């Protein structure tokens, strides 16, 4: 038996194998079908006849019902369970009904978008029954019920998308929310925020103007002070504000780390995040990369403050105030000056090289406690030890571990090896030093370099710096003999390559590169 599809969102539609089913007696017959589907239980013939045909005698109403049921049974065989007293929509009918699908999908993670697509229009859109006020009241109640169900789902999906930093998706859901509930000002507030986070500040201003005009025309009212204040803040900051230094080299890899950090930053309760890792692991580069990918996410922008040369409370606070061009009067506490400036702003403050200032990390707590929308992203070799801190441990770039297929002696495919971030980084760094560098024939030696450095970007960069003067097997041999070479300055590396490398590649078990 072929399956029927019944759509109750929008005008009632019945189809079979993609073709519309026709031949129904009237719209009332289709509404009867919708009523039976929604009630999903046996109903007496007397109840149905009185509900659908209240203005005729009982015998005539029962006659109309009998003919309608015959028509439905003929067009939808196997879908109704009918006896002399009751009528029900068959629980095992060969039918797919959109409202049933909506309910099922709305409860499952990952398929909510399909549920939203099903609720494409109001329940029984355009359907009314002037013969029965009770039936008309039921249609309106069901229409409102499904509208509220859809709104609840959209609100949940919007919140989830926002918390994951998926702002384009959140914007899509919020636009649908406004279509269903145009007077809910909170949705307009969120939509304006999302327009900002997706780089469309002009759209945010236009949204405010449209809502303001709608309120004035329909009710003679104005937007709330909160919405007007958001509009003014957007108007006063028409572009992206930041002080990030320009990037001088390509940023390679770290896709998973970037995605995780961006999701952490999007979560409202993650206001202090510390990227923790040893020196040279790439904390600063990752911090700056996250900032560059988040430029539109903060209404008042991003401020980057390097702290490697700062050693005192006063020095740190002075550096923070300087990042905002804040003058501090003689005798004024720079912390109070900073907090007053940040109190009502939505901003990301990125602090680099904080490991030697952890004893004064409580100052960061003070900033968070006195502001509502400031987020702190910190790079440090050790955690700050604050209760509100979320620690993100950063390891080396990915490389083939011993025992993996790409680390075996049978390695044949250079392209497979280049899928690893550490190898990509080494080759990119080597090309800057020696434009003719080619990985082909050097696979095992490069693998050894990646293993010896454990994917540490600084160590890989130092190793790649030697590619102009030394073959890769000899670089790996030198790292094995002298691990400190990974921390040498480039000037010291230049001096080291002038020494006489007389060791045989066979001595180290590396025969290529």
């Amino acid at each position: 038996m072929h399956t029927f599809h019944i759509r109750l969102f929008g005008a009632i539609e019945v189809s079979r194998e993609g073709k519309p089913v026709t031949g129904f007696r009237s719209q009332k017959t289709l509404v009867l079908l919708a009523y039976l589907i929604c009630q999903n239980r046996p109903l007496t013939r007397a109840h149905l006849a009185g509900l659908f045909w209240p203005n005729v005698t009982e015998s005539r109403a029962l006659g109309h019902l009998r003919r309608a049921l015959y028509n439905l049974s003929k067009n939808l065989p196997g879908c109704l369970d009918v006896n002399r007293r009751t009528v029900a929509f068959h629980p095992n009918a060969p039918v797919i009904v959109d409202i049933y699908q909506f309910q099922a999908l709305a409860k499952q993670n990952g398929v909510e978008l399909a549920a939203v697509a099903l609720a494409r229009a109001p329940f029984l859109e355009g359907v009314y029954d002037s013969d029965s006020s009770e039936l008309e009241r039921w249609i309106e109640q069901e229409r409102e019920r499904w509208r509220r169900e859809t709104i609840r789902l959209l609100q949940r999906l919007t919140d989830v998308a926002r918390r994951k930093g998926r702002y384009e998706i959140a914007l899509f859901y919020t636009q649908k929310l406004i279509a269903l509930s145009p007077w809910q000002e909170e949705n307009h507030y969120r939509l304006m925020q999302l327009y900002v986070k997706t780089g469309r500040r002009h759209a945010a201003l236009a949204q405010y103007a449209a809502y303001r005009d709608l309120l004035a025309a329909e009710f003679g009212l104005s937007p709330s002070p909160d919405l007007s204040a958001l509009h003014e803040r957007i108007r006063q900051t028409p572009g992206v504000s930041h002080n990030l230094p320009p990037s001088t080299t390509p940023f390679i890899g770290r896709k998973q780390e970037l995605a995780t950090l961006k999701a952490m930053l999007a979560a409202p309760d993650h206001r202090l995040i510390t990227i923790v890792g040893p020196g040279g692991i790439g904390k600063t580069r990752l911090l700056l990369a996250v900032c560059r990918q988040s430029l539109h996410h903060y209404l008042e922008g991003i401020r980057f403050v390097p702290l490697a040369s700062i050693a005192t409370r006063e020095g740190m606070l002075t550096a923070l105030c300087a990042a905002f061009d804040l003058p501090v009067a003689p005798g004024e506490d720079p912390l109070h000056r900073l907090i007053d400036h940040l109190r009502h702003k939505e901003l990301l403050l990125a602090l680099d090289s904080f490991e030697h200032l952890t004893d004064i990390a409580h100052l960061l707590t003070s900033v968070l406690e006195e502001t509502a929308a400031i987020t702190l992203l910190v790079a440090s070799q050790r955690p700050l030890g604050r209760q509100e801190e979320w620690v993100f441990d950063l390891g080396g770039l990915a490389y083939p571990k011993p025992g993996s297929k790409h680390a075996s002696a049978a390695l044949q495919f250079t392209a497979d090896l280049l899928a690893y971030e550490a190898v990509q980084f080494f080759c990119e760094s080597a090309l800057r030093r020696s434009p003719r560098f080619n990985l082909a024939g050097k696979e095992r030696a490069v693998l050894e370099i990646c293993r010896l450095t454990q994917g540490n970007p600084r160590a890989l960069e130092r190793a790649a710096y030697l590619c102009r003067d030394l073959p890769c097997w000899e670089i790996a041999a030198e790292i094995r003999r002298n691990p400190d070479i990974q921390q040498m300055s480039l000037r010291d590396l230049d001096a080291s390559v002038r020494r006489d490398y007389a060791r045989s590649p066979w001595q180290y078990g590396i025969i290529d590169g």
Side-chain angles (χ1 to χ4, degrees), residues 371-438:
T371 61
I374 299 299
T375 301
L376 299 173
L377 181 61
V378 181
S380 174
Q381 292 188 23
R382 56 194 177 107
L384 309 186
R386 306 305 301 172
Q387 184 177 9
E388 62 275 17
E389 176 185 26
W390 294 80
V391 175
F392 180 86
D393 288 308
L394 184 63
L397 296 169
Y399 61 92
K401 300 298 191 295
S404 68
K405 66 175 183 177
H406 296 147
S408 68
L411 176 69
Q412 295 181 0
F413 301 106
T414 301
D416 291 340
L417 190 58
L418 281 169
Y420 289 89
E421 294 177 350
V423 178
Q424 293 176 34
F425 186 86
F426 177 85
C427 292
E428 178 69 30
S429 301
L431 282 168
R432 291 201 303 273
R433 177 68 170 165
S434 179
R436 294 183 179 179
F437 177 83
N438 192 318

Side-chain angles (χ1 to χ4, degrees), residues 56-362:
V56 299
T57 64
E58 182 179 3
S59 61
R60 289 191 64 185
L62 288 170
H64 287 312
L65 175 64
R66 185 169 56 255
R67 285 186 287 274
L69 293 176
Y70 175 80
N71 182 244
L72 287 174
S73 297
K74 180 181 178 181
N75 284 286
L76 300 169
C79 293
L80 298 185
D81 191 357
V82 181
N83 59 42
R84 294 178 63 85
R85 183 173 178 274
T86 64
V87 180
F89 189 73
H90 201 292
N92 298 318
V95 171
I96 296 174
V97 183
D98 59 353
I99 61 171
Y100 291 170
Q101 286 183 293
F102 177 90
Q103 289 177 316
L105 294 174
K107 296 176 183 178
Q108 302 177 34
N109 293 328
V111 292
E112 300 94 337
L113 182 58
V116 172
L118 285 171
R120 70 197 195 285
F123 177 81
L124 300 191
E125 184 178 30
V127 173
Y128 67 94
D129 194 307
S130 58
D131 296 335
S132 173
S133 58
E134 186 177 351
L135 180 58
E136 182 64 24
R137 185 162 52 250
W138 173 81
I139 292 173
E140 290 298 327
Q141 289 173 347
E142 285 295 298
R143 194 170 287 154
E144 179 62 16
R145 170 197 169 194
W146 290 107
R147 188 183 77 89
R148 291 183 180 277
E149 288 282 339
T150 306
I151 287 174
R152 277 194 288 270
L153 174 61
L154 287 169
Q155 288 173 335
R156 176 161 62 85
L157 294 177
T158 300
D159 290 341
V160 170
R162 282 171 62 95
R163 288 185 65 86
K164 292 182 177 180
R166 302 172 71 182
Y167 297 123
E168 289 284 356
I169 295 176
L171 189 147
F172 169 77
Y173 289 139
T174 306
Q175 288 172 327
K176 286 189 168 293
L177 272 172
I178 289 176
L180 288 170
S181 184
W183 310 113
Q184 188 70 35
E185 186 171 283
E186 180 183 0
N187 293 331
H188 292 274
Y189 192 99
R190 288 184 174 182
L191 185 59
M192 290 171 63
Q193 288 181 316
L194 289 166
Y195 274 133
V196 171
K197 290 181 181 297
T198 53
R200 287 170 271 189
R201 293 178 181 240
H202 290 300
L205 298 176
Q207 181 67 31
Y208 174 84
Y211 180 62
R212 178 197 60 203
D213 295 345
L214 185 64
L215 280 180
E218 295 290 333
F219 305 108
L221 299 175
S222 300
S224 70
D226 286 345
L227 192 66
S228 298
L230 175 62
H231 168 261
E232 186 62 19
R233 287 170 60 196
I234 297 172
R235 192 185 65 81
Q236 291 180 358
T237 55
V240 176
S241 175
H242 71 90
N243 68 336
L244 301 176
S247 178
T248 58
T249 56
F251 184 80
I252 297 173
R254 302 293 196 191
K255 290 183 179 180
Q256 184 59 53
E257 291 89 340
L258 280 169
T260 301
L261 278 171
K262 288 170 68 176
M264 291 175 71
L265 286 170
D269 56 341
H270 288 48
R271 296 186 59 203
L272 174 57
I273 301 170
T274 308
I275 303 172
V276 175
I281 205 67
K283 298 183 298 296
T284 301
R285 288 174 62 83
L286 179 61
L287 178 144
L288 289 171
V290 172
C291 289
R292 292 188 182 104
Q293 292 190 17
S294 306
L295 286 175
H296 295 292
H297 297 175
Y298 301 90
L299 182 53
E300 276 84 19
I302 297 175
R303 285 295 179 273
F304 171 71
V305 185
L307 297 170
S309 60
I310 305 298
T312 65
R313 174 189 187 276
E314 291 71 22
M316 185 183 81
L317 292 174
T318 299
L320 291 176
C321 288
F324 296 98
D325 298 322
L326 294 178
V328 180
E332 182 182 15
D333 186 346
L335 179 60
H336 294 160
R337 182 75 176 92
L338 178 68
I339 289 175
D340 284 343
H341 178 74
L342 298 179
R343 196 178 305 279
H344 301 295
K345 286 184 166 48
E346 179 189 331
L347 186 137
L348 176 64
L349 188 53
L351 309 178
D352 189 34
S353 302
F354 204 92
E355 53 273 355
H356 58 294
L357 298 170
T358 53
D359 290 344
I360 56 173
H362 62 277

